[in-house]
């Protein structure tokens, strides 16, 4: 078994990562570049969420920016055109070979089996609205943030899997309004407010609120119960009946593990639970029940 | 043809059932046990919703609790651990053989082809939030109710098909917030308010409001129109075009029945309709167009 | 290449159509019949939305009524029964051959690849709520409009593909409440408010607000970026990963077109964009990636 990673010594440059108890915190570290997406930032985010997923010590993850940064994330830097966002050589490989960078970050965050929280303490545009917010389980936001989805105003389409996630998160009426108008809205707008778990009055209040929420969840939730619930939400049955089969098995598997026993016992004894099961210690394999799709380019 | 059931003489113990005109009322009868789920309660709920489904006299169903009960439903009683919720012998049958009891109740309510209403006149937790609320068509609730989804705080995962129903009812943003935080919320919280058709100021006001609503619907809606609309909502086409085929056939089938004629005539004559078609009298078979899934355990 | 249509000379009778710059406006012209659905109105709406879809000059479409009309649309005229809504001879062709007229209008609007806006400046009932509102990208409405879904109160089921669209637009909780109760509600009701992009205080204010919104979008959005985003929203991947493949290709295709270059350049130069790409000029074919379903009757 490999030792758990020491996040502060892994050499990340464009994010700062620390572990506080069972809560991992990643901070965007490109304030002087408006926290825009760079090739390195994408690689570091993909890597660190993969590490969080596998690290049994981590129960909750928070992504945030410095509250003194000019923005949470200004999206892609397109002042020199789109070249920085291009990956493969289309002329020889074809459009099918391209893999959107925003989407790669989205997938890494969405597939992390821990509780994930975006603490949006500044303005956000483009992939700062999509890849850095939509795949999270919870979003905390500053009331004064300007939030924009400018894709159709830049000649491109909704990216970073936002056409899949936003309608599911908000329903199609709101998602269509936001993506087809290229709107800039405030978190309290009825078009977007239901995206957010909590809206805070100041930039400085966002991270502390998210951190207190994370700490409480880290102490009182089961890592395996969370991961199984996330898997059911992300991969439900195709019918009520099929979902009943899936969550029936979930109950049967989990109730034989230690966390369910501790959950019932602590509830009876009216004390906080001491959950000890981890994803790597859980004895019964239970995922995936869906068909995984390999999206690596066939070059 | 068998005579219609006399609900008050069927010997139900943990629910009280009565028929008032075309409105069936089922009342949870375990107030001294906080209306917790028992094996018998599960069996009686499954049985009675199956009877309501087939009884042509029934147009609307209400499930409620005594407003003087300490809670609407406290969920499963786990003070003695999870044994009461276990069904099959896992050691010999395997996890695949388990069938969640909350899910069995959810399916019986969801598959009842009549209008169904939950009148939530007290606090609700666990399966009291899931199986006893989510499969209904309408939910009325007391403003002061404490509503909680404690699964991840007890070491288990979201049950009773809630991972399927809650995101569809509320969108994924709110469903994920509720299920992954194990939150306790009030009905007026923006996290959950859209689950409810109406929020009432007192516990005593919930059932009368639901009953008046049910009486109006029982008098003025078509049993077959309701059942076909429910079937379309629960089993839509996989595309706009496929759904167009399904609801085109719905129109063609229904417009040849008596209720459509009476609907047009009463509208023209500006009088209340007298709908007489029933599910068993309707001549053209039209369901299922989906593939039914048999979830009975293969023991 | 055929010359673009002169909408004012195409001989439409039950709609008035004009092109104002890149914004096409269609006005219901049956005020003396409460803008009810007629066979001719259906045919004209299907035809004109098909023309808008193919006309490169059109970037945004608005459908509205005269603000002096008694209603926006009273639905189908059933005072003489349902005969006017019947199409084929069921006795010889069977129920499977019927094609709902509301659904035909819904499909024509939904499949128009331009931005579509319903300016609902009066009361709306039946197909005036479904076919004439749900397939649009944006809905503007008069605060005083009475909005009703009376299907189950007329002995029929939800039509015009509303059982598919309404739950996606509003989530199932609200859609079920509206369709199974046959409710009449106001736009500010929590049951329906999220259907609307904007709610205006007077009937007269609705069209000007929609027109100003349309003009701004026509000037500042890319026709191909809009069409690709609509296609992704209407036909998402079946999983996050599949959608990533679809929007990755979207980025790769679009970034090689002129609009993306102009989008980045105008952003850098802080000036409005001058988008020139059109659906017929775009070089790379990219739709459909879904399986089209032919719904024409097999007679």
């Amino acid at each position: 078994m490999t030792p758990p990673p020491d996040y502060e010594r892994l050499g990340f440059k464009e994010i700062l990562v620390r572990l506080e108890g069972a809560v991992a915190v990643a901070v965007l570290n490109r304030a002087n570049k408006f926290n825009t997406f760079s090739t390195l930032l994408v690689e570091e985010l993909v890597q660190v969420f993969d590490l969080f997923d596998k690290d049994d010590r981590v129960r909750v993850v928070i992504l945030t920016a410095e509250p003194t940064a000019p923005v949470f994330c200004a999206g892609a830097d397109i002042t020199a055109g789109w070249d920085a966002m291009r990956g493969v050589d289309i002329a020889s490989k074809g459009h099918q070979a391209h893999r959107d960078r925003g989407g790669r970050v989205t997938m890494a965050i969405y597939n992390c089996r821990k509780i994930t929280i975006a603490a949006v303490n500044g303005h956000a545009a483009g992939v700062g609205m999509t890849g850095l917010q939509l795949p999270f389980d919870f979003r905390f936001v500053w009331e004064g943030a300007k939030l924009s989805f400018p894709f159709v105003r830049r000649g491109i389409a909704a990216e970073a899997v936002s056409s899949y996630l936003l309608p599911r998160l908000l329903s199609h009426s709101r998602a269509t309004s936001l993506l087809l108008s290229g709107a800039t809205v405030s978190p309290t707008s009825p078009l977007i407010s239901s995206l957010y778990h909590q809206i805070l009055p100041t930039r400085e209040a966002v991270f502390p609120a998210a951190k207190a929420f994370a700490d409480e969840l880290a102490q009182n939730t089961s890592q395996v119960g969370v991961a199984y619930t996330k898997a059911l939400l992300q991969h439900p049955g195709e019918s009520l009946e099929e979902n009943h089969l899936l969550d029936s098995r979930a109950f049967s598997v989990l109730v034989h593990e230690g966390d369910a026993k501790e959950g019932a016992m602590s509830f009876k004894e009216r004390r906080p639970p001491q959950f000890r099961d981890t994803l790597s210690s859980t004895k019964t394999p239970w995922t995936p029940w869906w068909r995984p799709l390999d999206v690596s380019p066939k070059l």
Side-chain angles (χ1 to χ4, degrees), chain A residues 40-52:
Chain A
L40 185 58
L41 177 59
V42 167
E43 297 309 322
E44 289 186 356
L45 286 169
V46 169
Q47 185 189 348
V48 81
F49 275 88
D50 191 51
L51 290 171
F52 294 153

Side-chain angles (χ1 to χ4, degrees), chain A residues 16-83:
Chain A
L16 300 173
V17 184
R18 64 181 189 269
L19 190 61
E20 298 189 12
V23 178
V25 178
V27 184
L28 299 170
N29 192 32
R30 283 169 57 80
N32 60 338
K33 303 279 189 185
F34 297 87
N35 286 329
T36 46
F37 255 41
S38 68
T39 305
L40 185 58
L41 177 59
V42 167
E43 297 309 322
E44 289 186 356
L45 286 169
V46 169
Q47 185 189 348
V48 81
F49 275 88
D50 191 51
L51 290 171
F52 294 153
D53 174 69
K54 294 183 172 62
D55 185 343
D56 280 345
R57 298 171 304 173
V58 174
R59 290 176 179 269
V60 185
V61 178
I62 304 176
L63 178 74
T64 193
E66 295 294 349
T68 55
V71 297
F72 172 70
C73 171
D77 180 357
I78 59 167
T79 52
W82 297 99
D83 284 347

Side-chain angles (χ1 to χ4, degrees), chain A residues 3 6 26 33 38 46 71 111-112 126 170 203 209 245 265 291-292 299:
Chain A
D6 180 349
K33 303 279 189 185
S38 68
V46 169
V71 297
N111 291 326
C112 176
L170 293 186
R203 296 186 68 174
L245 297 183
M265 186 69 73
R291 201 179 306 164
L299 295 178

Side-chain angles (χ1 to χ4, degrees), chain A residues 119-146:
Chain A
V120 184
N121 51 3
H123 307 312
V127 75
M129 274 313 305
T130 55
L132 293 193
Q133 294 194 39
L134 305 186
F136 288 85
D137 298 317
F138 300 89
R139 286 157 293 277
F140 287 64
V141 70
W142 166 44
E143 187 175 359
K146 294 178 191 165

Side-chain angles (χ1 to χ4, degrees), chain A residues 223-232 246 249-250 253-254 286 289:
Chain A
Q223 188 175 86
V224 291
V226 161
Y228 216 138
T229 299
K230 281 192 72 159
L232 286 164
L246 294 173
R249 187 176 54 175
V253 167
L254 291 176
W286 40 266
W289 54 80

